[in-house]
Amino acid sequence: MRLSKRGEYGLRAMIDLASWTQDGRVISIKAIAERENIPVKFLEQILLAMKNGGLVNSRMGASGGYYLAKPAAQITLGQIIRLLDGPLAPIRCVSQMAYEPCSCPDESTCGLRSVMFDVRNAIADILDHQTLADVVHGQPGNNLKLNEMSKS
Amino acid sequence: MRLSKRGEYGLRAMIDLASWTQDGRVISIKAIAERENIPVKFLEQILLAMKNGGLVNSRMGASGGYYLAKPAAQITLGQIIRLLDGPLAPIRCVSQMAYEPCSCPDESTCGLRSVMFDVRNAIADILDHQTLADVVHGQPGNNLKLNEMSKS
DNA sequence: CCTATATTCTATTGTTTTAGTAGGACATTT
DNA sequence: AAATGTCCTACTAAAACAATAGAATATAGG
C-alpha cells in the first residue's frame, strides 16, 4: 500500500511549487531540490513527467524554471499520484483507469473484490478532493478520524 | 498503492479457509491452490508465513492441512496484509507499526504528511474492521460511497 | 556574441522487491 | 512401507525502483 519515492518527491515538489509561486514567477529544479531534499537529477525526470502530463509548465534557459499549469485549487493529489505511480486501486479489478479481470470465477460475488473496492474509494475520496491549495493552506482532511487506534 | 500477489493470494487463501472450514476439519494447500488459482509452492510459503504469524494452524502428515487459528470473526484483513505485505501506511512517517521520520524539516506542519495520515486511517478503518467472517457472509463495507465518480 | 544557467531527453546502472521454483527433511495416515 | 501431507531453505528470473550520466537545446544578461 505504499507510495514510491517518485510519487512522494513529485507531491513534495508540487506542494513546493504551489506555495512558492506567485504571479509570473518560475522556480528552478535546483531550488526545489534543495528545499525538499530531493536528488536533483531524479527530480528533473519527475518534473518532466509532470510537464508531459500537463500538470506543470516550464520556461527554458537561464532564470527559467517551472510553474503550475493550473491554479493550485484545480490540481488534486490524486492526479499527481496517478501520473507518477499509476492507479490508486490496490488491485487492478477494482481500478477504473486500469481495470483488468482478476482470477476469481465471478467478480460480482467476490468478497475480496468488494472490500478492495471500498478501499479504493476511500483512498480516492481523499486524494481526488485534496488539492494543492488545500494542502498549502493546511486544510484538514475531510476523512480524518481522530479516535483511531489501529496500527498501520 | 497496490497490494502484492503475495498479499492477494494470502487473503484469498484465508477467505477460502474461512468459508470451507467446519468443526475440526483441515484443508490442504493443494485444495486451496486449485480453487483459488494460486501456484502451489508459492501458497506453501504464504501459509507458512501466516502460521508463523499466528493466524493459522496446521496438522502435518497425510490428510493434514490448515485451519484458522482463531474464529473468522476475530481475524481482520488488516492483520493478514500487514503480516504479508507490511504496513498499510503509504509513507513510513505516518505508520504506527513501522514509523520512520521523513525528510521534511517539521513533521507537525508537513501538509503531505497530514493528508497521508488521513489516507492511512481511511485504509486502516476498513481493513482493521473487516473480518474474514464479514467477507464470507458478504457484509457490506461500512465506508462504501456509492456516488463516487473518481477514477483510480 | 558569449557565457552561465536552465530545461530537455535518453540511456545506463545498481539495488531491491516480486513472484515464483526446486528440492529435500520431517510427520502422519492408511 | 508407501502415499500424502506440511516444513524449511535456498535459488532465480524478471520487473520495479531509485537514482546517475551526459549531451543537446534554449534563454537571459552582460
Side-chain angles (χ1 to χ4, degrees):
Chain A
M1 298 290 180
R2 78 174 227 292
L3 186 70
S4 71
K5 282 292 174 191
R6 180 177 159 94
E8 183 189 331
Y9 291 162
L11 287 168
R12 287 192 194 284
M14 290 298 272
I15 293 167
D16 187 280
L17 273 177
S19 56
W20 288 79
T21 305
Q22 34 205 23
D23 44 295
R25 296 193 62 244
V26 299
I27 298 174
S28 71
I29 292 176
K30 207 179 137 201
I32 301 172
E34 272 167 11
R35 273 195 295 266
E36 307 291 336
N37 282 298
I38 304 174
V40 178
K41 296 296 275 184
F42 194 15
L43 182 56
E44 206 178 288
Q45 290 182 10
I46 294 168
L47 281 169
L48 207 49
M50 289 199 285
K51 181 184 170 144
N52 294 332
L55 297 182
V56 296
N57 281 130
S58 63
R59 209 166 63 203
M60 287 185 71
S63 81
Y66 285 91
Y67 58 97
L68 298 181
K70 295 179 280 192
Q74 288 173 30
I75 301 178
T76 67
L77 303 197
Q79 291 167 28
I80 299 167
I81 295 177
R82 287 206 188 79
L83 187 61
L84 297 175
D85 271 14
L88 301 183
I91 48 180
R92 305 290 263 209
C93 65
V94 297
S95 171
Q96 233 70 40
M97 83 175 292
Y99 169 82
E100 272 178 43
C102 50
S103 51
C104 64
D106 181 14
E107 287 194 355
S108 66
T109 60
C110 175
L112 180 61
R113 182 169 185 274
S114 88
V115 175
M116 287 304 157
F117 184 72
D118 292 354
V119 172
R120 183 219 90 104
N121 285 340
I123 297 173
D125 275 353
I126 299 175
L127 264 17
D128 285 330
H129 290 114
Q130 282 280 322
T131 68
L132 290 177
D134 294 333
V135 176
V136 168
H137 300 115
Q139 206 76 7
N142 42 349
N143 291 56
L144 184 59
K145 304 279 166 50
L146 281 171
N147 47 346
E148 177 57 46
M149 298 272 69
S150 61
K151 310 282 196 295
S152 76
Chain B
M1 300 289 179
R2 78 176 228 291
L3 187 70
S4 71
K5 282 292 173 190
R6 180 177 160 94
E8 183 189 331
Y9 291 161
L11 286 168
R12 287 193 195 285
M14 290 297 272
I15 293 167
D16 187 280
L17 273 178
S19 57
W20 289 80
T21 304
Q22 34 205 22
D23 44 295
R25 296 194 59 245
V26 298
I27 298 175
S28 71
I29 291 174
K30 207 179 137 200
I32 301 172
E34 272 165 13
R35 274 196 295 267
E36 307 290 337
N37 282 299
I38 303 173
V40 177
K41 293 297 274 183
F42 194 15
L43 183 55
E44 205 178 288
Q45 290 182 10
I46 295 168
L47 282 169
L48 207 49
M50 288 198 286
K51 180 182 170 146
N52 294 332
L55 296 182
V56 296
N57 281 131
S58 63
R59 209 164 62 204
M60 286 186 71
S63 81
Y66 284 91
Y67 58 97
L68 298 181
K70 296 180 279 191
Q74 289 172 30
I75 300 178
T76 67
L77 303 197
Q79 292 167 28
I80 300 167
I81 296 177
R82 287 207 188 77
L83 187 60
L84 297 175
D85 271 13
L88 301 183
I91 48 180
R92 306 289 263 209
C93 65
V94 297
S95 171
Q96 233 71 39
M97 83 174 292
Y99 169 83
E100 272 178 42
C102 50
S103 51
C104 63
D106 181 14
E107 288 193 354
S108 66
T109 60
C110 175
L112 180 60
R113 181 169 186 273
S114 87
V115 175
M116 287 304 156
F117 184 70
D118 292 355
V119 172
R120 183 220 90 104
N121 284 339
I123 297 173
D125 276 351
I126 298 174
L127 264 17
D128 285 330
H129 290 112
Q130 282 280 324
T131 69
L132 289 177
D134 295 333
V135 176
V136 168
H137 299 116
Q139 205 77 4
N142 43 348
N143 290 58
L144 184 59
K145 303 278 166 50
L146 281 172
N147 47 347
E148 177 58 46
M149 298 272 69
S150 60
K151 311 280 198 295
S152 77

